[in-house]
Amino acid sequence: MTHPTEPPQTTQTTQTTPTTRPAQPAQPLLPSPGGRSPDGPPATTALGGLRVLDLATLFAGPLAATLLGDFGADVIKVEHPNRPDPSRGHGPARDGVGLWWKLLGRNKRTITLDLSDPGGRDTLLRLAATADVVIENFRPGTLERWGLGWAELSAVNPRLVLTRVTGFGQVGPYAHRPGFGTLAEAMSGFAAVTGEPGGPPTLPPFGLADSIAALATSYAVLTALTARAATGRGQVVDMAIIEPILTVLGPQPIWYDQLGYVQPRTGNRSRNNAPRNTYRTADGHWLAVSTSAQSVAERLLRLVGRPELTEEPWFATGSGRAEHADELDEAVGGWIARRPRADVLAAFEKAEAAVAPVYDIREVMDDPQYRALDTITEIADPELGPLRMQNVLFRLSGTPGAIRWAGRPHGADTEDVLTELGLTGADIAALRTRGAL
């Protein structure tokens, strides 16, 4: 089918400005040196006026750009003319269209440039002069080899924030190794503490380290832009994927430093509190129970008919309860096993005890709480028609984010973006002839 060359309009999203607060006048937060394109996101968005060049692939860098685009940044996705972003071919596809790309590429305009070609290099520098942020994840030294390092980029735009996302960072003995999220999940200590006692280390079946790094990268970008507002100058962000996941693992380093303690694999149990596990109901469903708060643990044991356990001296602390996890699991698990899921959930809610069903994606899509939050929202797509995906990450009352369009075809916006830069039709044709586009 023929694909449009203009991004879908904002009216296609189901996300709307809340009626509890009137729309505010347009106030771009961080205006681009070159100004805003009239075809970009409206300036009433939180990040309206921000331009991001996404040069990255798989997956942390592109997801960070997506998060910025969700709140109004004009994200321009730069892909090689003959080697599109690999996420277009990752996972299931419908009618030959990669579905992962529809999520990862949303709210991005797509252009093609061969950055190793002098014509592509010069065009990228022209784009960088109009941008606020460049996000890349090439191996250290690659941009420099193409004449697109920090020296060249900052020369054309001293206010630019160059965000470099790699597996191991820009320095150190591993800096030039290929790096993926799986390696970070292994090296950070995550896999070592995940899995059953005595079993093998367990890796997650999705891009956990990449996703955590994407969140950290978007935070780093906004931090650097806030600093720019004070100093007037940009800077380089060095994000190593092995680091953010280590941060979210909590106090493991300080435990080891001060006590020599190495956290073991405990399956679904915790060394910090109990009962904490998954339990099967009489009708074959699984439920997750948490008792991080002492009061919740007491209410739960009263609910399952074992109030005497709350009087035990060891019950007074989370670590004490964890040492008696077998006894507590037997009490809670036995009670749950004799009842269907609906009855267990109702009883927990009445008792104000903490429980959640273990969902697969089918149940996520139908859950009333997710529906109330519009967590999974529907948008229109010119290639696939109506499709559902995760909504923007959080809600803002005054300047909400929105999904303006899903991932677009490879290079769909090349001519529009380059025309905005001032290139003529003849200029663009010449770049295509030499293979730079």
Side-chain angles (χ1 to χ4, degrees):
M1 63 181 291
T2 301
H3 303 303
T5 58
E6 290 294 328
Q9 300 300 306
T10 56
T11 53
Q12 289 187 329
T13 179
T14 57
Q15 185 92 0
T16 57
T17 303
T19 57
T20 55
R21 179 179 294 188
Q24 299 298 312
Q27 296 288 336
L29 179 64
L30 297 160
S32 302
R36 290 287 301 119
S37 161
D39 294 326
T44 50
T45 57
L47 299 181
L50 191 72
R51 173 168 283 181
V52 178
L53 305 184
D54 175 9
L55 315 184
T57 59
L58 294 179
F59 282 100
L63 180 55
T66 302
L67 297 175
L68 298 172
D70 283 351
F71 285 89
D74 177 22
V75 180
I76 299 174
K77 175 70 177 181
V78 180
E79 299 175 82
H80 191 278
N82 303 317
R83 297 189 296 275
D85 189 306
S87 67
R88 291 181 180 272
H90 263 59
R94 179 183 159 208
D95 299 334
V97 178
L99 299 179
W100 201 333
W101 167 251
K102 284 296 177 184
L103 174 67
L104 191 64
R106 73 188 191 189
N107 292 334
K108 299 179 183 181
R109 297 195 285 168
T110 63
I111 72 170
T112 57
L113 281 179
D114 182 350
L115 302 182
S116 66
D117 181 277
R121 170 195 179 274
D122 293 344
T123 305
L124 194 282
L125 287 174
R126 291 183 66 166
L127 268 174
T130 73
D132 299 280
V133 180
V134 170
I135 299 176
E136 64 96 2
N137 71 338
F138 299 104
R139 291 198 206 183
T142 301
L143 283 186
E144 285 75 9
R145 188 169 69 250
W146 293 337
L148 290 170
W150 175 239
E152 293 85 0
L153 291 170
S154 61
V156 301
N157 184 356
R159 291 171 55 82
L160 188 70
V161 172
L162 174 59
T163 307
R164 319 196 77 164
V165 185
T166 57
F168 304 103
Q170 297 296 308
V171 299
Y174 305 158
H176 290 275
R177 291 182 180 179
F180 297 98
T182 297
L183 309 186
E185 289 146 10
M187 286 184 61
S188 64
F190 171 83
V193 300
T194 306
E196 293 297 323
T202 302
L203 296 168
F206 63 99
L208 176 64
D210 277 308
S211 299
I212 296 171
L215 292 167
T217 299
S218 61
Y219 164 58
V221 165
L222 295 179
T223 300
L225 291 172
T226 301
R228 187 186 75 175
T231 67
R233 298 191 64 85
Q235 59 185 295
V236 178
V237 173
D238 178 5
M239 177 63 65
I241 296 174
I242 60 173
E243 292 183 305
I245 187 171
L246 182 58
T247 296
V248 303
L249 282 170
Q252 288 192 38
I254 197 170
W255 281 344
Y256 179 75
D257 176 66
Q258 295 296 303
L259 303 172
Y261 175 72
V262 177
Q263 183 175 334
R265 287 190 288 281
T266 57
N268 290 326
R269 287 180 172 178
S270 168
R271 287 291 182 98
N272 303 313
N273 67 83
R276 192 263 197 184
N277 213 327
T278 57
Y279 307 94
R280 197 169 190 178
T281 64
D283 52 351
H285 296 285
W286 288 93
L287 301 175
V289 172
S290 176
T291 57
S292 295
Q294 182 71 22
S295 59
V296 172
E298 293 171 359
R299 289 196 293 269
L300 174 57
L301 269 296
R302 288 195 292 269
L303 170 65
V304 302
R306 298 295 303 275
E308 75 281 2
L309 294 178
T310 66
E311 304 300 323
E312 296 287 347
W314 50 261
F315 197 89
T317 65
S319 57
R321 297 197 307 274
E323 292 177 358
H324 292 78
D326 287 343
E327 186 174 0
L328 293 171
D329 274 348
E330 182 180 357
V332 175
W335 186 89
I336 289 175
R338 296 190 295 271
R339 293 163 173 81
R341 181 171 73 171
D343 290 354
V344 175
L345 293 174
F348 267 68
E349 183 172 0
K350 184 177 180 180
E352 297 185 2
V355 68
V358 176
Y359 281 165
D360 62 22
I361 191 58
R362 293 169 294 188
E363 293 171 298
V364 169
M365 301 287 269
D366 289 334
D367 182 82
Q369 181 62 34
Y370 282 128
R371 286 188 173 184
L373 295 173
D374 196 26
T375 304
I376 306 295
T377 198
E378 183 176 292
I379 64 170
D381 180 71
E383 291 185 284
L384 298 178
L387 55 83
R388 290 186 290 171
M389 64 174 65
Q390 300 96 317
N391 210 334
V392 299
L393 193 58
F394 49 86
R395 286 160 290 282
L396 296 178
S397 63
T399 54
I403 304 172
R404 300 180 299 281
W405 60 84
R408 299 194 12 89
H410 182 229
D413 305 292
T414 301
E415 292 194 9
D416 291 341
V417 171
L418 298 189
T419 299
E420 291 168 10
L421 282 180
L423 274 70
T424 66
D427 295 331
I428 295 171
L431 288 169
R432 287 196 186 281
T433 298
R434 65 175 294 150
L437 299 183

